[in-house]
C-alpha cells in the first residue's frame, strides 16, 4: 500500500461481499450492511466486480472466509470469550452488526491509519453509527507494535480473545506475519482465523499465468503479494508458536461446507485457504 493512502484491496473485498448479497442473495454469508458501507458508489463497484463470470469464484471465497470466521467467533463467544480483534479490518462490518454486544463482546478494529480514517469518514457519510462496543486502533503491521497499540486501545492481553485476520497475510512480509502470530499466541486461550494463498509453484502450469496476472494487478495498485505458504509449512509454523488446534479449509472444503457440494468432492488443488488456529491449553 502506498504511504498515507487507504487500501484499495480493502474496498475491493467489501465490494465482493456486497456483490454476494445481490447476486447470490447472501447464501453463504449474510451482511446487510455490505452495500451500505460502500456509499454512493456501491452500484458501480458491484458492477465492476461482477462483469466477468470468472469473478464468481473470488466472490464466493470472500463470502466463505467471512462466514467461517464469524461462525468460529460465535463458538468462542459461547465458551466465554468477550474480546474480538479484527486485524486489517478494512470495510468489514462485523463490529457494526455485533450480535453479541449484549453479552459484552467488545470489538477492536485494527488497521493502517489511512485506511481506518477513510472508513470512519465513510461511516459518517452513510449514517452508520459507531457502537459503544467498538474501539478503533490505528496500527501499521509492518512498523508498529501490535501489543502496545491494542493495550493503548483498552485491550486486555490477560483475558481470552478471538482474532479475525482476513485479506492481509499475502500483503505482509514474513517477519510481520510471524510477529503478529507470536503476539496472538501470547494471549491466553487465543484463537485466530486468517486466510492465505499458496505459492505459484504449487499451481499446475496451466493456471500459473492466471495467478501471476492477479499478483501483477495488486502490485500495480501498490499492494503487492509478499508472502505465500504451503499448507504443511504454515501448519508447522503455527504449531511452533503454540497453536495446537488447527482447521484449514481449502476451496473444496469450503464448497462442501457452504455450497452443498458432496462430501466426497475431490480436492480442487491449490488455491486460497482459510485457517483457524487455537492455542494449545
Amino acid at each position: 500500500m502506498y504511504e498515507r493512502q487507504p487500501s484499495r484491496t480493502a474496498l475491493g473485498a467489501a465490494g465482493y461481499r456486497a456483490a454476494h448479497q445481490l447476486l447470490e442473495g447472501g447464501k453463504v454469508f449474510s451482511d446487510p450492511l455490505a452495500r451500505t458501507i460502500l456509499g454512493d458508489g456501491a452500484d458501480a463497484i458491484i458492477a465492476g466486480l461482477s462483469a466477468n463470470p470468472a469473478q464468481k469464484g473470488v466472490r464466493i471465497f470472500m463470502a466463505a472466509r467471512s462466514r467461517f470466521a464469524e461462525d468460529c467467533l460465535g463458538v468462542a463467544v459461547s465458551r466465554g470469550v468477550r474480546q474480538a480483534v479484527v486485524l486489517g479490518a478494512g470495510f468489514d462490518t462485523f463490529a457494526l452488526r455485533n450480535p453479541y454486544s449484549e453479552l459484552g463482546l467488545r470489538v477492536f478494529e485494527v488497521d493502517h491509519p489511512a485506511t481506518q480514517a477513510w472508513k470512519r469518514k465513510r461511516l459518517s457519510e452513510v449514517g452508520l453509527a459507531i457502537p459503544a462496543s467498538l474501539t478503533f486502533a490505528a496500527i501499521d503491521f509492518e512498523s508498529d507494535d501490535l501489543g502496545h497499540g491494542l493495550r493503548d486501545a483498552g485491550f486486555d492481553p490477560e483475558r481470552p480473545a478471538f482474532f479475525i485476520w482476513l485479506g492481509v497475510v499475502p500483503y505482509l512480509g514474513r517477519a510481520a506475519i510471524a510477529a503478529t502470530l507470536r503476539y496472538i499466541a501470547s494471549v491466553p486461550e487465543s484463537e485466530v482465523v486468517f486466510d492465505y494463498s499458496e505459492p505459484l509453484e504449487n499451481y499446475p502450469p496451466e493456471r500459473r499465468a492466471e495467478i501471476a496476472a492477479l499478483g501483477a494487478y495488486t502490485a500495480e495498485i501498490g499492494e503487492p503479494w509478499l508472502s505465500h505458504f504451503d499448507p504443511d509449512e504454515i501448519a508447522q509454523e503455527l504449531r511452533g508458536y503454540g497453536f495446537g488446534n488447527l482447521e484449514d479449509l481449502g476451496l473444496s472444503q469450503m464448497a462442501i461446507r457452504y455450497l452443498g457440494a458432496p462430501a466426497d468432492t475431490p480436492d480442487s488443488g491449490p488455491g486460497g485457504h482459510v485457517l483457524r488456529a487455537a492455542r494449545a491449553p
Side-chain angles (χ1 to χ4, degrees), residues 94-171:
F94 172 78
L96 308 174
R97 298 179 280 105
N98 182 2
Y100 312 112
S101 59
E102 292 187 2
L103 295 176
L105 180 69
R106 188 174 181 187
V107 182
F108 297 85
E109 280 201 5
V110 174
D111 216 334
H112 187 282
T115 300
Q116 196 165 88
W118 186 28
K119 179 177 186 174
R120 297 185 71 162
K121 181 174 182 291
R122 176 61 56 83
L123 293 178
S124 176
E125 291 170 347
V126 301
L128 290 175
I130 298 172
S133 58
L134 168 60
T135 301
F136 291 102
I139 296 171
D140 186 333
F141 288 103
E142 294 283 7
S143 59
D144 297 333
D145 185 281
L146 176 60
H148 289 164
L150 279 173
R151 281 197 299 274
D152 289 346
F155 177 81
D156 185 349
E158 301 303 319
R159 294 174 54 217
F162 188 95
F163 293 77
I164 296 175
W165 196 19
L166 301 178
V168 181
V169 166
Y171 303 97

Side-chain angles (χ1 to χ4, degrees), residues 60-70 72 164-167 192-197 234 238 246-251 253-254 257-258 271-277:
I60 296 300
F61 175 77
M62 297 283 190
R65 71 183 188 183
S66 293
R67 169 72 179 276
F68 180 68
E70 293 192 16
C72 292
I164 296 175
W165 196 19
L166 301 178
V192 60
V193 169
F194 66 94
D195 61 324
Y196 70 94
S197 57
I234 190 63
L238 288 165
L246 307 181
E247 183 179 12
D248 189 332
L249 301 186
L251 299 179
Q253 289 80 21
M254 290 182 208
R257 183 169 298 192
Y258 300 121
H273 291 249
V274 62
L275 190 157
R276 179 186 63 85

Side-chain angles (χ1 to χ4, degrees), residues 172-210:
L172 297 178
R174 289 294 186 103
I177 295 168
T180 301
L181 291 172
R182 286 194 189 98
Y183 174 74
I184 294 171
S186 75
V187 177
E189 299 179 50
S190 60
E191 192 169 346
V192 60
V193 169
F194 66 94
D195 61 324
Y196 70 94
S197 57
E198 295 186 45
L200 190 61
E201 57 268 24
N202 280 20
Y203 290 84
E206 63 271 17
R207 290 195 60 200
R208 290 178 188 171
E210 170 195 349

Side-chain angles (χ1 to χ4, degrees), residues 13 26 143 147 221 230-231:
S143 59
I221 64 172
D230 182 85

